Amino acid sequence: EDKVVQSPLSLVVHEGDTVTLNCSYEVTNFRSLLWYKQEKKAPTFLFMLTSSGIEKKSGRLSSILDKKELFSILNITATQTGDSAVYLCAVEAYGQNFVFGPGTRLSVLP
Amino acid sequence: DTGVSQDPRHKITKRGQNVTFRCDPISEHNRLYWYRQTLGQGPEFLTYFQNEAQLEKSRLLSDRFSAERPKGSFSTLEIQRTEQGDSAMYLCASSFFHSRETEAFFGQGTRLTVV
């Protein structure tokens, strides 16, 4: 059965810290891995990764995928209180739906 | 607003009643997904459609749940004889599936409370 695991499940940091969130997966016929940020309501899309070793960047956020070791990381540098959210990792397999991990709850303290 | 929209945003119902939720996807998207999310958990897959065809249904979905997408546009999710354990946020997402990578965009969700 397809599975997505995220760690840590919860993280508390202070503003300005750098954090690394982890996502590992077991899925047959991997197609893509996606990161979402969820604050109060719907998850909002951050990144889609399909190839190993190519870093995707958006401002202070960046992510990379390792298809050999079956994991991805999401980095956030110089964290701000507005980064407080649940970060969800999802994996899509060919011809199938998206499988989500449990999320990492990030709290950034002022 | 050209995003995914869901209606209603909140629903409170008595145990045993039937409820129906609606999702309007982004107009050019051919795939539509339903997920359920409870507090502290990631979204849990329920079912998805490509156009009007229901391609997959979660094994966890009991026969009280049914979803339709009759014209390949909007979709409805019905829960019959609701139970307290059905209380959750029901999320709809849509994507344009083609030969390259696909990203799914979510609606704001319908929060169901069964009392």
Side-chain angles (χ1 to χ4, degrees):
Chain A
E1 187 173 323
D2 296 341
K3 191 165 69 170
V4 177
V5 176
Q6 292 186 246
S7 65
L9 293 181
S10 180
L11 188 57
V12 180
V13 300
H14 286 94
E15 270 192 319
D17 290 349
T18 292
V19 297
T20 298
L21 310 183
N22 303 292
C23 174
S24 63
Y25 61 92
E26 291 176 25
V27 65
T28 52
N29 295 318
F30 173 89
R31 179 180 167 100
S32 63
L33 184 145
L34 299 92
W35 284 96
Y36 288 86
K37 178 182 181 183
Q38 187 173 29
E39 295 176 86
K40 291 198 169 114
K41 293 283 170 86
T44 54
F45 174 78
L46 294 175
F47 297 113
M48 172 183 285
L49 302 153
T50 56
S51 302
S52 282
I54 299 174
E55 186 183 48
K56 293 228 174 169
K57 226 171 143 53
S58 175
R60 295 176 295 102
L61 277 65
S62 64
S63 184
I64 198 159
L65 173 68
D66 185 329
K67 287 166 73 174
K68 185 178 172 190
E69 300 298 329
L70 308 183
F71 78 90
S72 173
I73 60 171
L74 175 69
N75 277 321
I76 309 175
T77 59
T79 51
Q80 302 171 357
T81 54
D83 296 327
S84 296
V86 174
Y87 289 84
L88 295 165
C89 174
V91 171
E92 185 194 16
Y94 278 96
Q96 295 183 41
N97 66 88
F98 295 86
V99 178
F100 281 83
T104 294
R105 180 172 295 279
L106 174 65
S107 299
V108 182
L109 304 178
Chain B
D1 186 352
T2 56
V4 178
S5 72
Q6 292 187 245
D7 182 69
R9 297 286 295 274
H10 302 274
K11 178 73 177 177
I12 300 174
T13 191
K14 289 186 178 176
R15 193 174 51 188
Q17 298 292 304
N18 298 346
V19 294
T20 300
F21 310 142
R22 178 179 168 123
C23 172
D24 287 89
I26 294 171
S27 59
E28 63 269 22
H29 283 184
N30 54 4
R31 280 207 171 170
L32 186 150
Y33 308 81
W34 285 100
Y35 286 84
R36 174 172 64 190
Q37 188 175 28
T38 53
L39 201 61
Q41 303 295 317
E44 174 190 39
F45 170 73
L46 295 178
T47 188
Y48 85 101
F49 294 83
Q50 180 152 318
N51 301 312
E52 64 275 7
Q54 189 171 20
L55 294 189
E56 190 178 349
K57 195 171 166 181
S58 168
R59 289 187 297 274
L60 303 173
L61 209 62
S62 79
D63 56 9
R64 296 185 298 105
F65 287 72
S66 62
E68 292 183 344
R69 193 182 183 200
K71 296 179 183 176
S73 56
F74 74 91
S75 175
T76 56
L77 176 70
E78 182 182 17
I79 310 174
Q80 296 182 323
R81 305 181 303 281
T82 51
E83 300 172 358
Q84 286 188 316
D86 297 331
S87 296
M89 174 76 86
Y90 290 83
L91 293 166
C92 175
S94 71
S95 69
F96 181 60
F97 182 81
H98 50 86
S99 59
R100 298 185 59 191
E101 44 272 10
T102 305
E103 54 202 61
F105 295 90
F106 282 83
Q108 292 297 304
T110 293
R111 182 169 294 285
L112 173 66
T113 303
V114 181
V115 298

